[in-house]
Amino acid sequence: MTPGVTMRAISLIGPMGSGKTEAGRALARRLGWACIDTDAEIESHEGRAIPAIFRESGEAHFRAIERAVVQRAARRQNVVIATGGGAILSPVTCGVLAKAGPVFYLRAPLDVLLQRVGGDRGRPLLGDDPRSALEQLLGEREALYSQTGVPIDAAEPADAVVEAVLRHLAGAVHRVRVALGPRAYDAIVGTGVLALVGFELQRLGAGRQVAIVTHRSLLRRFGGGLTRALEGGGFTVHAVTVPAGEQAKSLRQASRILDALGAAGFTRSDTAVALGGGVAGDLAGFVAGIYMRGLRLVQVPTTLLAQIDSSIGGKTAVNHPRAKNLIGVYHQPALVVTDIDTLRSLPPRERRAGLAEAVKYGMVLDHSLFEVVERDQKVLARRRAVDGLEEIVRRCATLKARVVEEDEYERGPREVLNYGHTVGHAVEATIPGRFVHGEAIAIGMHVEARIAVRLGLLDAHDADRQDGLLQGLGLPLAVPAGPLGLLLDAMRLDKKRRDGRIRCTLPEGIGRAQLGVDVPDSLMQEVVAACQESS
């Protein structure tokens, strides 16, 4: 099974008696998914038992119905499909299963299979001599089973089969390792990987209680699946809801979550799960960082911006009336679970905002990433489509991990990720609510690229190319009209300022940047004014 496998459905194949139905139901419980037994679906569709279908209509009729049932099941999402023993006889069916997601071949010795089915007279292909019939079927189908699915030892009990399947799935997803010694962790990236969160937490030895921190609409959309996956791993789940948007990033909301954790008796072995975008990640991460001096944290980002950037790296904070993110701690997650499928319901504006961060990564770290976004910009910005997004997320997550490894506490090299943020954060602070974060960063990149041009660091052509891509993605560039005093005051309070001077990360070309560039107040004011929209 190659890394990056799509997990919209998981299929179990194998001969009669291999335990596909029992294992399928147990696997579905662990993942929080539904289980479809194709033989049961066929019987329901036909209104008669399988032996009657064979006897009255023949095997060819049965196989035609089976193909149709499998195709319908494979179109569903978050399902385990337990197939009949002969489903793999159809190349069409094999192709459908493989396209839907991972396929596992439950393999067991003949004697085990015979012990399980020998007395079952409802098996039309066994006839009067089950051993000979089953041996012949295995001989005819073994190669097809092996070619179609990953072999799993099905002689073991169903729970052991499920554990083996989960280990294979966990090994097949993309993992970005954030190597921070004793604080190292994985960010798993893929489609459908939300279902693995319970298994992954088990592997980490987490305590039995989990608090999901999110807002109500996300809890309705993704909370059910996340809760089922956690409960399938044996965890007791509590949901703690907070308001949507930046208003949630406050000491008041942090105190509410702390109260809820304390009331539920959470200990340091338990886990907080941040379900949502950067706001949920910042807030839940901040609380996890200060509760009992450090609670296990799992980031489950559901916005493109959080998947690309904020879910990795351990920066957590709440806002203060004086500045955004003024109160915070560094608290690395124990795990990041990035499910690309959560982006299907992302509003177009939020998608565009996330792509602004991808442009940032390309501008300061990776020329080829910039070119990928530039080439695919129309597809990437398309409403509800996830085509191409997994590659973007994975590449950005890998870049972020390498930067964090080099500079966990932002004392130097990590400042490369601040491109666009000096101006962007000031825009957010002085005009609250008008722009989402990625939009403000797009404005910041536009201004800071022009400063880089004025300082002779960046060619004007590259600045134009950046701005053209941002505009092509539907992002704003102009600084809002109005007095500049508040904007400049916000920059002077920015935590990146040193010795009374505004310092910026500025691009030196597409794919590389210079850190800590002193920008005179006069130049900043002049360029911001030039980039301001007409009043």
Side-chain angles (χ1 to χ4, degrees), residues 89-170:
L89 296 174
S90 165
V92 171
T93 297
C94 291
V96 166
L97 293 176
K99 186 176 181 181
V103 181
F104 294 94
Y105 164 31
L106 304 196
R107 183 171 60 187
L110 175 63
D111 286 344
V112 172
L113 299 175
L114 195 62
Q115 182 182 7
R116 293 173 178 174
V117 305
D120 186 352
R121 294 304 175 185
R123 308 274 185 172
L125 296 181
L126 289 182
D128 296 328
D129 186 356
R131 173 175 285 276
S132 296
L134 191 51
E135 190 171 20
Q136 181 178 347
L137 286 173
L138 281 176
E140 293 170 350
R141 298 174 180 178
E142 169 65 27
L144 287 172
Y145 288 136
S146 298
Q147 292 165 10
T148 305
V150 175
I152 297 290
D153 182 4
E156 299 292 325
D159 286 346
V161 171
V162 169
E163 287 297 319
V165 169
L166 289 171
R167 286 195 299 272
H168 275 282
L169 292 171

Side-chain angles (χ1 to χ4, degrees), residues 95-438:
V96 166
L97 293 176
K99 186 176 181 181
V103 181
F104 294 94
Y105 164 31
L106 304 196
R107 183 171 60 187
L110 175 63
D111 286 344
V112 172
L113 299 175
L114 195 62
Q115 182 182 7
R116 293 173 178 174
V117 305
D120 186 352
R121 294 304 175 185
R123 308 274 185 172
L125 296 181
L126 289 182
D128 296 328
D129 186 356
R131 173 175 285 276
S132 296
L134 191 51
E135 190 171 20
Q136 181 178 347
L137 286 173
L138 281 176
E140 293 170 350
R141 298 174 180 178
E142 169 65 27
L144 287 172
Y145 288 136
S146 298
Q147 292 165 10
T148 305
V150 175
I152 297 290
D153 182 4
E156 299 292 325
D159 286 346
V161 171
V162 169
E163 287 297 319
V165 169
L166 289 171
R167 286 195 299 272
H168 275 282
L169 292 171
V173 297
H174 277 298
R175 287 180 181 270
V176 176
R177 185 68 171 170
V178 187
L180 294 172
R183 295 176 306 286
Y185 56 94
D186 287 340
I188 62 175
V189 180
T191 298
V193 296
L194 190 65
L196 293 176
V197 65
F199 178 71
E200 293 286 342
L201 268 182
Q202 276 187 319
R203 296 209 301 179
L204 292 172
R208 293 296 90 192
Q209 294 203 95
V210 176
I212 300 174
V213 179
T214 189
H215 61 79
R216 292 188 184 280
S217 64
L218 284 177
L219 187 65
R220 287 192 298 269
R221 189 174 301 146
F222 304 118
L226 177 58
T227 297
R228 289 191 297 272
L230 288 165
E231 290 177 342
F235 296 97
T236 300
V237 181
H238 308 263
V240 184
T241 58
V242 297
E246 281 287 322
Q247 61 180 320
K249 284 176 54 174
S250 68
L251 288 173
R252 178 172 175 271
Q253 292 300 328
S255 181
R256 282 187 59 246
I257 300 170
L258 291 167
D259 287 344
L261 297 177
F266 269 61
T267 69
R268 291 187 68 184
S269 67
D270 295 318
T271 305
V273 174
L275 174 65
V279 168
D282 273 356
L283 177 61
F286 176 71
V287 169
I290 63 175
Y291 184 82
M292 292 188 173
R293 299 188 180 91
L295 182 70
R296 180 181 287 102
L297 172 68
V298 174
Q299 293 278 5
V300 182
T302 61
T303 67
L304 182 55
L305 190 149
Q307 291 187 358
I308 280 175
D309 186 74
S310 63
S311 62
I312 295 174
K315 287 173 64 174
T316 75
V318 294
N319 297 332
H320 184 275
R322 292 293 303 277
K324 178 182 171 71
N325 296 332
L326 194 62
I327 308 166
V329 296
Y330 286 91
H331 184 61
Q332 297 295 341
L335 176 70
V336 180
V337 181
T338 298
D339 193 332
I340 302 301
D341 257 343
T342 61
L343 301 178
R344 291 183 181 276
S345 59
L346 194 66
R349 185 183 186 187
E350 293 289 344
R351 177 187 291 257
R352 293 192 295 268
L355 289 170
E357 289 285 350
V359 175
K360 180 195 79 174
Y361 274 85
M363 282 295 296
V364 298
L365 288 171
D366 189 342
H367 184 279
S368 66
L369 172 62
F370 183 93
E371 290 183 328
V372 168
V373 179
E374 191 175 46
R375 181 195 68 204
D376 298 337
Q377 59 184 283
K378 291 183 180 179
V379 174
L380 292 171
R382 186 179 300 156
R383 179 181 176 85
R384 297 190 184 278
V386 295
D387 298 336
L389 288 179
E390 183 170 339
E391 179 188 0
I392 300 297
V393 170
R394 179 169 45 82
R395 290 181 63 159
C396 288
T398 301
L399 291 167
K400 178 68 175 286
R402 301 296 83 83
V403 170
V404 171
E405 289 167 359
E406 188 176 1
D407 181 18
E408 181 178 1
Y409 297 109
E410 203 170 16
R411 294 180 176 132
R414 192 164 171 175
E415 290 183 9
V416 72
L417 302 177
N418 288 335
Y419 175 49
H421 283 61
T422 297
V423 174
H425 276 171
V427 168
E428 287 182 286
T430 56
I431 317 172
R434 177 167 173 182
F435 299 103
V436 297
H437 179 69

Side-chain angles (χ1 to χ4, degrees), residues 21-147:
T21 298
E22 185 180 2
R25 289 171 179 165
L27 178 60
R29 284 194 297 272
R30 289 292 299 274
L31 298 173
W33 288 4
C35 179
I36 298 176
D37 182 334
T38 60
D39 280 353
E41 292 288 310
I42 291 168
E43 290 184 332
S44 176
H45 178 271
E46 287 287 289
R48 49 184 174 159
I50 288 176
I53 299 173
F54 270 76
R55 185 175 59 252
E56 297 165 8
S57 303
E59 184 174 359
H61 176 76
F62 174 83
R63 298 299 174 199
I65 299 170
E66 184 177 55
R67 285 193 297 274
V69 166
V70 169
Q71 287 174 334
R72 283 199 299 272
R75 284 195 291 268
R76 291 182 56 181
Q77 192 160 332
N78 299 341
V79 292
V80 176
I81 304 171
T83 66
I88 45 82
L89 296 174
S90 165
V92 171
T93 297
C94 291
V96 166
L97 293 176
K99 186 176 181 181
V103 181
F104 294 94
Y105 164 31
L106 304 196
R107 183 171 60 187
L110 175 63
D111 286 344
V112 172
L113 299 175
L114 195 62
Q115 182 182 7
R116 293 173 178 174
V117 305
D120 186 352
R121 294 304 175 185
R123 308 274 185 172
L125 296 181
L126 289 182
D128 296 328
D129 186 356
R131 173 175 285 276
S132 296
L134 191 51
E135 190 171 20
Q136 181 178 347
L137 286 173
L138 281 176
E140 293 170 350
R141 298 174 180 178
E142 169 65 27
L144 287 172
Y145 288 136
S146 298
Q147 292 165 10

